[in-house]
């Protein structure tokens, strides 16, 4: 791809021309009309599209007469020397905003901080608070997780703006989740490196030699630009790196003085940004994988963090149907329609003679099981003779401190490459390798898997009726009642059902990529509510109904999320899974107590409960301006309450139904 | 529900008792006591309040297992933490079993329109 460098031979020229009446915005607008590449990496194997950014500045409202006077004249009553002391005509952070616009960030999430006051002001006043628009959060963990959730729906990264010190420390957990979940975002961290420009006091405690160090173990790349040109190049590089599989967060430090100082005559070109084509698996290895799959009696596909978009789903459907092979979706992404007959339960792995893993987060754990006993014994789930093929980008990760890469597994064929990008070649190779006799076996295979799929769906439906009338409400009923309210709408689940017995994936027909958000990645609490809200923000222009099944423990980390929902009018239907405790930890404590033969009669509440006092979650969000009802523990109440909440969401507001539930 | 290899013999045992075993009496007082013990010993954390199961514990009610199989499952199991008689006596386990046995069948699918997908 050709680089699209477009020198805005600009700022110096602009300065020269200012006295001749050439307006800065006119200048930048004409310069950017040359266009810049902006394409989604989420459409691999497609021709990279190029979009002109001609209109990116055109939307900016022309400056008022008063603003013109401020920019080009010394204000009345000031000498030129005084004006130089008091006023800045052309702050560096305005240029930073131009770069953000060129990269087409839709939003920047933030909790405000003085170390980035320069760019904050530029976003609002110079950039008109549009493209990107600031989304205000009450905690950096919320701001970061919103960016995480937004990416998973749109395939586009957000920027997150934070103090380089205290802000990144707050954000760290959410950054780690994004890292584990291979979700890109661009973190912008304010800092004052030059002591000569630091104000006494807080600005010192909010500065660091190397502020990104606190998160460097779980981001892909970072830089600390010392000039505006450096900033623009590093932003383009950061964007590319974040969006190239394996995707992940990146960070750019915003030097305070660079934001606030007069740009003067600096040359600061904005480089073009051509997305990197995702890596595809080696052709010979892919051909070998195809042969194994075609020759297998019982090939099984297991998939986790694969599909970047709907095209990824369709590519996997094509491969699975070509082989008539069952697909076990581990639901790190919406990889495969839950209502497709080849969608099968995890136990089919035990029958497989060839297992194809696609972007598995944990290959070892897919093939093996470790029992949680005093002595951790291991049983292989798969047949001893089953061959395992692994296609994915996990071997391209290069960090070593945090152990999110899971236990080593010796696969029979390991192919480094983005699985979604590799799939068309694999499917084609499968078609080529398939004999007519093998192809003739497909109808029988299809009938077998259709029957198994129907049996599984019926069994799941049957299981949901147990505890149907229980109070507090069973999680199965919660999802059934939700479904009845939203089934005729354009809905999307913006939370993970893994802690609710996986009822959505077991019961609901999920066939669109955007209907499913996947997991947190690092399993750090405080992800659920804000990532759901980030996803809801992504769904807003499409008019979809985002459904957030909100866990009480997660919510208590980040309750301010609901203020952001109200403040920015982000419609989202939240129904709580309030089991009044940190349930996972409760079970761990119970296991420890049983193992040590003491205290199984109630000690596990200690340190794990969210009761005494009971938390009125509906009142919590009501206090932040969100429509709410509850708490409800009678199952008969929740259907009508959810219907009322849906009316609120359809009117464009967030709504919240507090339901007290069974544990899981 | 994930059933490990070690659980199959228990299911087999259960089937035998289903065919041959006699019904276990469920005195209402025992059931009430059993329910209290079910809650005290935190059975509901994995199996939920009506024994319908959850993300980490299988459905146990309405139980099909005879007490011996139920006991075996609690004392020696591949899935749940093993509760020894030192922390849960046979007598209390029996009362818990009585409670689990008393949990009625839920409505049928035909009676639950919300479960039409």
């Amino acid at each position: 791809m050709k680089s699209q460098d477009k020198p805005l031979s600009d700022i110096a020229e602009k300065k020269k021309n200012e006295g001749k009446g050439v307006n800065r915005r006119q200048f930048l607008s004409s310069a950017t009309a040359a266009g810049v590449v902006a394409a989604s990496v989420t459409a691999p194997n497609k021709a990279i599209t190029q979009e002109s950014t001609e209109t990116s500045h055109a939307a900016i409202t022309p400056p008022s007469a008063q603003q013109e006077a401020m920019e080009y004249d010394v204000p009345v009553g000031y000498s030129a020397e005084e004006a130089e002391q008091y006023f800045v005509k052309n702050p560096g952070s305005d240029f930073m905003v131009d770069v953000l616009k060129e990269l087409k960030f839709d939003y920047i999430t933030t909790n405000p901080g003085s170390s980035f006051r320069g760019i904050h002001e530029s976003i609002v006043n110079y950039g008109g608070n549009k493209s990107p628009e600031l989304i205000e959060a009450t905690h950096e963990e919320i701001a970061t997780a919103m960016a995480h959730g937004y990416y998973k729906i749109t395939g586009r990264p957000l920027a997150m703006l934070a103090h380089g010190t205290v802000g990144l420390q707050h954000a760290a957990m959410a950054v780690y989740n994004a890292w584990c979940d291979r979700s890109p975002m661009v973190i912008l961290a304010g800092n004052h490196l030059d002591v000569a420009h630091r104000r006494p006091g807080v600005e010192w405690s909010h500065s660091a030699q190397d502020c990104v160090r606190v998160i460097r173990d779980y981001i892909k790349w970072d830089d600390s630009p010392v000039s505006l040109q450096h900033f623009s190049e590093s932003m383009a590089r950061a964007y590319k790196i974040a969006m190239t599989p394996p995707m992940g967060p990146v960070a750019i430090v915003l030097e305070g003085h660079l934001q606030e100082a007069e740009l003067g005559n600096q040359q600061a070109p904005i480089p073009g940004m051509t997305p990197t084509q995702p890596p595809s698996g080696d052709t010979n290895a892919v051909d070998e994988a195809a042969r194994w799959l075609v020759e297998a009696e019982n090939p099984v596909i297991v998939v986790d963090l694969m599909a970047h978009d709907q095209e990824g789903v369709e590519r996997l459907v094509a491969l699975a149907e070509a082989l008539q092979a069952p697909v076990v979706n581990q639901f790190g992404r919406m990889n495969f329609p839950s209502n497709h007959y080849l969608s099968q339960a995890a136990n089919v792995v035990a029958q497989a003679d060839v297992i194809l893993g696609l972007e598995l987060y944990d290959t070892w754990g897919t093939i093996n099981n470790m029992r949680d006993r005093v002595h951790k014994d291991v049983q292989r789930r798969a047949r001893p003779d089953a061959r395992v093929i692994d296609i994915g980008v996990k071997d391209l990760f290069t960090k070593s401190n945090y152990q999110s890469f899971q236990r080593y597994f010796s696969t029979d064929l390991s192919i480094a490459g983005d699985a979604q990008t590799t799939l068309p070649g694999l499917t084609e190779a499968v078609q080529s390798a398939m004999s007519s006799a093998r192809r003739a076996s497909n109808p029988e295979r299809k009938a077998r898997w259709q029957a198994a799929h129907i049996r599984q769906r019926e069994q799941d439906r049957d299981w949901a009726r147990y505890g149907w009338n229980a109070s507090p409400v069973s999680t199965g009923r919660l999802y059934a009642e939700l479904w009845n309210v939203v089934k005729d709408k354009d809905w999307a689940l913006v939370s993970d059902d893994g802690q609710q017995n996986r009822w959505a994936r077991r019961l609901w027909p999920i066939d669109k990529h955007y209907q499913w958000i996947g997991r947190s990645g690092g399993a750090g609490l405080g992800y659920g509510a804000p990532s759901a809200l980030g996803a809801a923000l992504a769904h807003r222009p499409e008019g979809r109904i985002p459904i957030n099944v909100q866990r009480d423990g997660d919510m208590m980390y980040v309750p301010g999320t609901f203020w952001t929902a109200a403040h920015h009018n982000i419609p989202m239907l939240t129904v709580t899974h309030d089991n009044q405790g940190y349930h996972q930890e409760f079970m761990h404590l119970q296991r420890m107590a049983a193992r040590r033969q003491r205290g199984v009669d109630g000690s596990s509440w200690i340190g794990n409960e969210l009761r005494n006092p009971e938390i009125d979650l509906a009142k919590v969000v009501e206090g932040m301006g969100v429509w709410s009802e509850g708490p409800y523990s009678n199952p008969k109440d929740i259907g009508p309450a959810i219907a009322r909440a849906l009316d609120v969401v359809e009117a464009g507001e967030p709504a919240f139904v507090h339901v007290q539930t069974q544990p899981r | 529900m994930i059933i490990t290899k070690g659980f199959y013999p228990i299911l087999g045992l259960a089937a035998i008792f289903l065919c041959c075993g006699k019904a276990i009496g469920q005195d209402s007082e025992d059931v009430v006591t059993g329910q209290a013990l079910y809650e005290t010993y935190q059975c509901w954390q994995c199996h939920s309040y009506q024994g319908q199961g959850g993300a980490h514990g299988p459905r146990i009610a309405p139980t099909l297992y005879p007490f011996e199989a139920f006991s075996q499952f609690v004392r020696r199991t591949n899935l749940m933490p093993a509760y020894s008689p030192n922390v849960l006596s046979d007598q209390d386990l029996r009362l818990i079993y009585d409670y689990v046995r008393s949990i009625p069948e839920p409505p049928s699918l035909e009676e639950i329109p919300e479960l039409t997908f």
Side-chain angles (χ1 to χ4, degrees):
Chain A
M1 296 291 166
K2 185 183 168 191
S3 173
Q4 298 288 313
D5 276 352
K6 62 180 168 41
L8 303 177
S9 38
D10 57 349
I11 310 248
E13 186 66 20
K14 173 197 69 171
K15 285 289 174 190
K16 216 184 328 176
N17 291 334
E18 272 183 356
K20 300 173 188 169
V22 177
N23 181 292
R24 173 176 61 197
R25 291 187 176 85
Q26 289 170 342
F27 179 86
L28 286 172
S29 179
S30 62
T32 53
V36 66
V37 174
S40 167
V41 77
T42 62
N45 278 6
K46 279 179 171 175
I48 301 271
T49 55
Q50 296 189 7
E51 295 176 26
S52 167
T53 57
E54 195 166 0
T55 57
S56 65
H57 295 287
I60 297 170
T61 308
S64 65
Q66 190 180 8
Q67 286 172 320
E68 291 274 4
M70 284 289 290
E71 287 198 55
Y72 303 118
D73 302 313
V74 173
V76 174
Y78 293 88
S79 68
E81 291 73 21
E82 282 179 318
E84 197 178 340
Q85 289 297 314
Y86 290 129
F87 306 113
V88 173
K89 285 184 185 176
N90 187 23
S93 56
D94 283 5
F95 174 78
M96 292 175 174
V97 170
D98 287 331
V99 174
L100 294 174
K101 285 179 177 291
E102 297 292 355
L103 291 171
K104 294 186 175 295
F105 287 105
D106 300 324
Y107 300 99
I108 295 186
T109 57
T110 192
N111 179 257
S114 59
S115 61
F116 54 87
R117 63 185 186 177
I119 196 169
H120 188 160
E121 192 276 339
S122 291
I123 292 166
V124 173
N125 292 318
Y126 174 70
N129 199 28
K130 282 193 169 65
S131 306
E133 176 187 345
L134 273 179
I135 298 292
E136 184 181 347
T138 58
H139 195 293
E140 289 84 352
E141 186 168 14
I142 297 171
T144 307
M146 282 189 73
H148 187 169
Y150 188 87
Y151 160 75
K152 288 172 85 171
I153 303 306
T154 62
R156 297 193 301 275
L158 290 190
M160 195 285 287
L161 190 53
H163 269 308
T165 49
V166 291
L168 289 190
Q169 290 173 55
H170 279 307
M173 178 63 248
V175 177
Y176 184 64
N177 275 332
W179 163 258
C180 295
D181 198 32
R182 303 182 192 169
S183 292
M185 65 182 66
V186 179
I187 297 160
L188 302 173
N191 191 46
H192 288 276
L193 191 59
D194 187 346
V195 298
H197 295 286
R198 274 185 217 158
R199 294 172 295 142
V202 172
E203 213 154 76
W204 279 77
S205 53
H206 284 187
S207 297
Q209 286 180 17
D210 181 9
C211 63
V212 179
R213 185 173 183 176
V214 69
I215 57 171
R216 188 166 292 129
D217 276 331
Y218 37 91
I219 59 174
K220 282 187 78 178
W221 186 76
D222 67 276
D223 198 14
S224 301
V226 295
S227 72
L228 290 172
Q229 177 162 351
H230 188 173
F231 172 81
S232 65
E233 289 182 20
S234 289
M235 279 296 292
R237 188 192 304 273
Y239 195 105
K240 276 169 70 82
I241 291 172
M243 291 296 289
T244 302
M247 299 186 205
V250 294
I252 296 293
V253 178
L254 304 179
E255 171 56 33
H257 183 63
L258 205 58
Q259 299 173 54
E260 296 186 20
E262 177 66 49
L263 184 55
N265 293 327
Q266 281 191 67
Q267 287 237 354
I270 300 177
M273 202 292 292
T274 305
T276 304
Q277 190 74 308
S280 183
D282 173 77
T283 309
N284 290 331
V286 167
D287 287 347
E288 181 73 2
R291 277 193 294 274
W292 291 12
L293 288 164
V294 167
E295 289 164 7
E297 279 297 314
N298 289 303
V300 170
I301 301 168
V302 187
V303 58
D304 195 3
L305 298 166
M306 189 205 72
H308 304 302
D309 50 28
Q310 188 66 26
E311 192 164 343
V313 176
E314 289 161 11
R315 289 177 183 186
L316 183 53
V317 169
L319 175 68
E321 289 183 352
L323 287 162
Q324 289 300 325
V327 176
V328 177
N329 190 359
Q330 295 181 335
F331 276 97
R333 300 287 187 273
M334 204 320 252
N335 298 298
F336 196 77
S338 68
N339 53 351
H340 191 288
Y341 66 91
L342 288 170
S343 174
Q344 297 288 333
N347 57 11
V348 298
V349 168
Q351 309 164 16
D353 50 353
V354 172
I355 297 163
L356 171 65
L358 298 172
E359 302 291 1
L360 296 186
Y361 185 69
D362 183 4
T363 306
W364 189 94
T366 299
I367 305 299
N368 298 292
N369 178 51
M370 178 183 278
R371 284 191 296 196
D372 191 357
R373 288 178 164 183
V374 177
H375 302 289
K376 305 288 190 298
D377 58 340
V378 174
Q379 306 92 40
R380 187 174 160 104
R381 297 180 203 271
R383 284 166 37 174
D385 61 341
R387 290 188 291 182
V388 179
I389 305 164
D390 215 356
I391 302 178
V393 292
K394 65 182 158 201
D395 288 341
L396 306 179
F397 274 100
T398 56
K399 302 284 185 173
S400 51
N401 187 15
Y402 287 82
Q403 304 284 300
S404 56
F405 37 75
Q406 303 294 319
R407 191 163 178 178
Y408 175 76
F409 183 79
S410 177
T411 49
D412 298 280
L413 180 56
S414 184
I415 302 174
D418 179 64
Q420 175 169 330
T421 307
T422 307
L423 276 184
L426 179 59
T427 305
E428 198 178 315
V430 161
Q431 298 282 20
S432 300
M434 194 172 280
S435 65
S436 53
R438 170 63 179 79
R439 190 167 277 116
S441 73
N442 272 347
E444 181 276 324
R445 291 169 189 252
K446 179 176 180 177
R448 180 157 39 104
W449 292 121
Q450 278 177 325
H453 179 80
I454 290 167
R455 273 198 308 274
Q456 183 65 51
R457 300 294 283 188
E458 285 304 303
Q459 187 180 61
D460 288 335
R461 223 159 57 87
D462 187 61
W463 282 14
R465 70 190 176 94
Y466 289 91
W468 185 256
N469 291 318
S471 174
V473 180
S474 76
T475 52
R477 179 152 189 177
L478 185 74
Y479 275 87
E481 297 280 0
L482 262 171
W483 176 251
N484 270 275
V485 174
V486 303
K487 63 186 175 187
D488 297 324
K489 307 291 180 184
D490 187 9
W491 58 269
L493 188 63
V494 291
S495 53
D496 178 22
D497 67 351
Q499 306 300 336
Q500 294 105 33
N501 217 356
R502 305 180 302 282
W503 282 118
R505 65 189 94 168
R506 292 167 69 185
L507 298 176
W508 297 9
I510 303 170
D511 57 6
K512 297 182 181 67
H513 185 267
Y514 66 72
Q515 288 173 332
W516 181 260
I517 193 173
R519 302 186 295 267
S520 64
L525 282 189
Y527 160 87
S531 67
L533 190 62
L537 180 65
H539 287 304
R540 185 170 65 178
E542 311 301 331
R544 299 183 192 126
I545 305 296
I547 303 155
N548 171 36
V549 178
Q550 178 64 54
R551 294 181 285 153
D552 53 338
D554 177 271
M555 178 172 165
M556 291 306 291
Y557 270 71
V558 283
T561 302
F562 293 92
W563 178 85
T564 298
H567 180 69
H568 288 283
N569 297 314
I570 304 172
M572 179 168 75
L573 172 56
T574 295
V575 178
T576 64
H577 168 215
D578 174 14
N579 57 20
Q580 304 193 334
Y582 297 107
H583 187 71
Q584 183 77 41
E585 277 47 58
F586 195 111
M587 290 190 293
H588 279 305
L589 204 64
Q590 193 73 5
R591 183 176 292 275
M592 288 297 100
R595 187 174 293 174
R596 296 165 186 183
Q597 300 189 74
R598 60 193 183 197
V600 296
D601 53 350
S603 67
S604 297
W605 279 110
I606 299 170
N608 288 325
E609 64 185 321
L610 286 168
R611 54 175 203 170
N612 300 322
E614 203 169 275
I615 303 168
D616 189 334
L617 298 172
K619 198 169 277 182
V620 169
V621 301
E622 183 187 12
M624 291 187 282
V626 173
W627 182 98
S628 67
E629 281 193 10
Y632 293 118
S633 57
N634 185 336
K636 290 182 177 155
D637 292 334
I638 62 172
I642 294 169
R644 289 189 292 274
L646 178 65
D647 290 341
V648 175
V649 173
E650 291 196 301
E653 301 289 335
F656 186 100
V657 180
H658 182 184
V659 180
Q660 293 176 325
T661 66
Q662 301 269 321
R664 288 279 168 93
Chain B
M1 173 183 173
I2 298 168
I3 298 176
T4 64
K5 285 179 186 169
F7 193 62
Y8 286 116
I10 297 173
L11 287 180
L13 192 62
I16 293 167
F17 275 86
L18 261 182
C19 297
C20 311
K22 66 173 187 175
I24 293 164
Q26 289 171 27
D27 181 272
S28 61
E29 197 175 318
D30 287 352
V31 167
V32 171
T33 307
Q35 180 171 8
L37 291 168
Y38 184 89
E39 293 176 11
T40 298
Y41 286 101
Q42 314 297 315
C43 310
W44 56 275
Q45 284 289 342
C46 294
H47 302 288
S48 299
Y49 292 105
Q50 293 198 350
Q52 74 266 29
H56 294 283
R59 177 168 64 80
I60 56 171
T63 186
L64 302 176
Y65 314 139
F67 176 71
E68 289 73 11
F70 187 81
S71 173
Q72 181 78 0
F73 186 80
V74 172
R75 303 291 192 209
R76 290 182 183 78
T77 174
N78 287 331
L79 299 174
M80 64 178 281
Y83 282 56
S84 79
N86 291 340
V87 293
L88 176 61
S89 69
D90 285 338
Q91 186 183 357
D92 284 354
L93 183 56
R94 184 69 186 229
L95 290 166
I96 289 171
Y97 177 75
D98 286 348
Y99 165 63
V100 171
R101 282 291 299 261
S102 76
I103 296 171
E105 272 283 330
S108 67
L109 279 174
E110 291 70 32
E111 294 171 285
I112 307 175
E114 292 85 350
L115 283 174
T116 305
F117 289 90

